[in-house]
Amino acid sequence: MVSMVGSFFSLFRDYQYRFDMAEFEREVSRDFDSQEITKVTEEAEKRAKELVTDREELLKVIGYIDLTTLAGDDTKDRVTVLLDRAVAPYAKDPAVKCGAVCVYPARVADVKSHMKKKGYKLNIASVAAGFPSGQYRLESRVLEIELAVADGATEIDIVINRAAALDDDWTTVYNEVRAMKAACGSAHLKTILATGELKSLSNVYKASWASILAGSDFIKTSTGKETVNATIEVSFVMLCAIKKWHQKTGKKVGFKPAGGIKTATEALTYVALVEKVLGKEWLNPSLFRIGASSLLDDVLKKL
Ligand SMILES: O=C[C@H](O)COP(=O)(O)O
């Protein structure tokens, strides 16, 4: 397998897309008005209070959830129970399903075998690329992706190289995400920016743009392991990048807030924000997910 990675890299090195730094700098040179963000946040919070009393909106939130367990003591039993729950989260309506389950790479095969045994159909998301720190050689991060896909993952949630981002080395961020996208094969790539560690909204915007340019199917706020995870502020900045990309290319990139979203009202604030910045067409599980381990409990309580 390592020889495969080696040959992949020699191929990648020869054919890697030339990242145009001057064009990148032109595209990302914008400021974010704190008053604009405050206004958007207040409007989203107000809208969320209206939506939280709407049963249909609460059922839609369940469909956005990547039901997640990412703990050192995760076991085969824990992820099979998670899958059973994600496939049938709401007893009163068997048609309601979560968007995916999200687990560590070592648990993907357990999820896949349980899915086969029960005849379930659901996306299997695996974190990878040295989650949550990303502080590993690119070769091992790529191999981890390939192994998770081989075990049955249909979606891969990678983390970006924050050392490169904090060094303003966006070429490396871009090239590495591109290499990891290639390693995904047919699996969808969600790129985690770990916004809580990027130090500025400008870096959040640059990381969003580099990740989108490199072919990410989704951009995701956080691992859930940073000190500060999903916020409305960084979500607004990321959504602005997704909007700009759609205006420029006509292509839609998905958005996934994650980390610390524990109540239906919090989730619906992100729903309201996506609706405001991108429009209702983004409000479906193919373009919008919420990474959460405990949100489902609160949504079910409100139904
Ligand atoms: O996407 C995955 C996150 O780790 C979930 O974070 P949470 O446990 O705070 O819901």
Side-chain angles (χ1 to χ4, degrees):
M1 180 68 82
V2 175
S3 60
M4 272 175 61
V5 174
S7 55
F8 168 82
F9 273 88
S10 59
L11 182 67
F12 171 69
R13 198 172 33 251
D14 300 340
Y15 294 95
Q16 72 187 29
Y17 179 84
R18 295 282 172 264
F19 179 77
D20 183 330
M21 197 61 206
E23 185 184 350
F24 178 83
E25 288 295 352
R26 277 196 302 276
E27 295 289 2
V28 298
S29 58
R30 68 157 284 177
D31 290 323
F32 288 90
D33 179 325
S34 58
Q35 286 181 330
E36 178 189 14
I37 293 177
T38 302
K39 181 171 178 291
V40 162
T41 302
E42 287 168 356
E43 288 170 354
E45 287 170 348
K46 182 169 178 284
R47 176 78 174 128
K49 290 193 176 92
E50 296 163 6
L51 293 172
V52 75
T53 58
D54 183 328
R55 183 175 175 280
E56 287 312 307
E57 291 299 330
L58 291 172
L59 291 174
K60 284 182 197 169
V61 168
I62 295 178
Y64 302 143
I65 294 173
D66 283 1
L67 195 60
T68 300
T69 184
L70 294 169
D73 60 354
D74 283 342
T75 60
K76 177 174 182 174
D77 286 352
R78 182 179 288 173
V79 299
T80 51
V81 167
L82 188 86
L83 180 60
D84 288 338
R85 195 162 186 230
V87 168
Y90 183 50
K92 292 179 185 169
D93 183 349
V96 175
K97 296 186 184 319
C98 291
V101 287
C102 183
V103 297
Y104 271 114
R107 301 275 65 84
V108 170
D110 295 334
V111 173
K112 184 69 180 174
S113 68
H114 189 58
M115 192 174 284
K116 206 167 171 183
K117 185 176 138 198
K118 305 284 271 185
Y120 293 155
K121 282 198 180 308
L122 197 76
N123 286 307
I124 304 174
S126 174
V127 294
F131 180 98
S133 71
Q135 296 284 351
Y136 298 86
R137 289 277 299 269
L138 182 59
E139 292 85 341
S140 68
R141 287 182 275 155
V142 166
L143 181 58
E144 192 177 60
I145 294 167
E146 290 172 340
L147 293 172
V149 172
D151 281 350
T154 57
E155 301 176 350
I156 299 289
D157 289 26
I158 65 167
V159 286
I160 65 166
N161 179 337
R162 276 86 97 197
L166 294 170
D167 277 348
D168 247 352
D169 180 359
W170 300 106
T171 305
T172 295
V173 172
Y174 169 85
N175 284 334
E176 291 191 348
V177 173
R178 198 169 170 83
M180 293 189 274
K181 170 66 178 172
C184 284
S186 60
H188 272 205
L189 175 66
K190 303 195 200 99
T191 301
I192 304 170
L193 309 185
T195 53
E197 294 177 347
L198 292 184
K199 300 206 187 312
S200 70
L201 293 181
S202 172
N203 280 345
V204 170
Y205 194 67
K206 290 175 179 175
S208 302
W209 196 251
S211 301
I212 291 169
L213 274 180
S216 301
D217 299 290
F218 272 72
I219 51 176
K220 175 178 173 183
T221 62
S222 317
T223 65
K225 312 295 185 189
E226 290 83 61
T227 308
V228 178
N229 291 285
T231 67
I232 293 294
E233 185 180 46
V234 297
S235 298
F236 175 72
V237 170
M238 293 168 70
L239 292 172
C240 287
I242 291 172
K243 183 175 184 177
K244 182 185 174 84
W245 181 251
H246 185 235
Q247 288 169 340
K248 190 178 169 72
T249 66
K251 291 178 183 163
K252 293 183 181 136
V253 169
F255 174 64
K256 178 177 175 181
I261 303 174
K262 302 200 179 302
T263 70
T265 304
E266 287 167 348
L268 287 162
T269 307
Y270 288 96
V271 169
L273 186 70
V274 169
E275 182 180 6
K276 179 168 183 60
V277 179
L278 297 176
K280 284 189 185 295
E281 57 191 309
W282 255 263
L283 290 178
N284 67 78
S286 67
L287 286 170
F288 179 58
R289 297 282 180 83
I290 300 172
S293 61
S294 59
L295 169 62
L296 178 59
D297 301 325
D298 188 62
V299 174
L300 291 174
K301 267 190 230 154
K302 291 181 167 65
L303 278 168

